[in-house]
Amino acid sequence: MSYAIAPWNLPSVPVAGSADRFPVRHIYCVGRNYAEHAKEMGGDASKEPPFFFTKAADSVVPVVPPAIGSIHYPLGTKNLHHEIELVVAIGGHGVKLAPERALEIVWGYAVGLDMTRRDLQNDMREKKRPWDIGKSFAGAAPIGPLHPVIAIGHPAKGRIWVDVNGSRRQSGDLAEMIWDVPHTLHFLSQYYELMPGDLVFTGTPSGVGAVVAGDRLDGGIDGLGTLSLSIAPPLV
Ligand code: MN
């Protein structure tokens, strides 16, 4: 096969303890999956079915500790927020999955940041326009190494946190998710055929807030290591 223009490398995420990389097909994200975060976003904590949005695969910024990742402060925003999240990597096919079977297609887990242009997201939401522009952009999905299920199993509890410049900003526990991973995949797979290479960001605990150029973020999840990121000045 020949391409009409030079092709680019597949977006990919490193695998912990291996030279292999996990190719990224599609990035799904869950909105408001921790009760305290739902409240801070102006919603309530009632157990409605989850809702979903997506990020382009080229939003991925792979970060391998001890390296510190870097993104440019994104274009078009004055309010860039951090959302620390458990990321699920899909290794099988799944459509209309029963919650009891959903974990069978999970390949691994990682720490990720759902970076958000909150001013643009809120603007679009108020105008009843799509809020992709707030969620999918260059640098929007920093992610640490993937830990395979065969090595770590399926984390259902454990601390999740992020510090900004050494101060704790977000702190929670995976057990506080409104919809756990099996139910999240159950709902998501009612709308999409999940495929190998898909990533699912599973929502963030409370404490989201703004970062600016020069800031340093250090996040982590028990058992999945850490993810460090610095915010560089805007590209232009
Ligand atoms: Mn999020």
Side-chain angles (χ1 to χ4, degrees):
M1 173 164 47
S2 71
Y3 291 100
I5 62 169
W8 46 91
N9 292 330
L10 270 182
S12 67
V13 179
V15 174
S18 164
D20 288 346
R21 299 185 70 91
F22 184 91
V24 177
R25 180 190 300 269
H26 200 104
I27 305 174
Y28 301 99
C29 306
V30 188
R32 298 186 187 175
N33 200 24
Y34 290 75
E36 291 305 310
H37 174 61
K39 285 183 205 164
E40 76 183 350
M41 293 302 292
D44 65 41
S46 61
K47 199 159 179 164
E48 290 176 0
F51 64 91
F52 302 100
F53 58 92
T54 66
K55 290 177 187 274
D58 65 358
S59 303
V60 161
V61 180
V63 180
V64 185
I68 299 161
S70 178
I71 63 169
H72 288 288
Y73 192 89
L75 301 173
T77 183
K78 293 184 166 59
N79 196 18
L80 176 67
H81 274 206
H82 54 78
E83 298 188 356
I84 190 77
E85 310 204 357
L86 172 70
V87 180
V88 180
I90 304 297
H93 292 261
V95 63
K96 297 197 173 180
L97 291 163
E100 302 74 39
R101 304 292 303 271
L103 291 181
E104 293 172 10
I105 67 163
V106 176
W107 191 90
Y109 296 90
V111 183
L113 280 162
D114 167 13
M115 300 304 290
T116 302
R117 297 192 285 205
R118 190 74 72 201
D119 45 357
L120 298 182
Q121 181 196 19
N122 288 344
D123 264 10
M124 294 299 127
R125 191 170 65 177
E126 281 162 22
K127 291 172 180 160
K128 298 190 190 309
R129 293 176 181 171
W131 35 275
D132 312 46
I133 199 170
K135 287 290 193 178
S136 185
F137 52 88
I143 183 168
L146 269 177
H147 295 259
V149 167
I150 51 168
I152 62 140
H154 296 281
K157 57 182 167 51
R159 291 180 312 133
I160 176 171
W161 71 92
V162 67
D163 297 342
V164 177
N165 302 327
S167 296
R168 184 67 32 108
R169 286 276 192 91
Q170 292 186 260
S171 180
D173 193 289
L174 299 181
E176 296 163 0
M177 285 185 187
I178 296 172
W179 294 106
D180 61 12
V181 172
H183 284 86
T184 295
L185 299 181
H186 161 71
F187 284 110
L188 184 59
S189 68
Q190 306 303 307
Y191 301 98
Y192 300 99
E193 181 183 1
L194 299 177
M195 305 279 274
D198 291 344
L199 300 179
V200 183
F201 281 64
T202 57
T204 197
S206 62
V208 300
V211 289
V212 298
D215 281 349
R216 158 84 181 259
L217 294 84
D218 293 281
I221 297 175
D222 284 344
L224 297 180
T226 58
L227 169 61
S228 296
L229 186 75
S230 66
I231 311 295
L235 194 58
V236 288

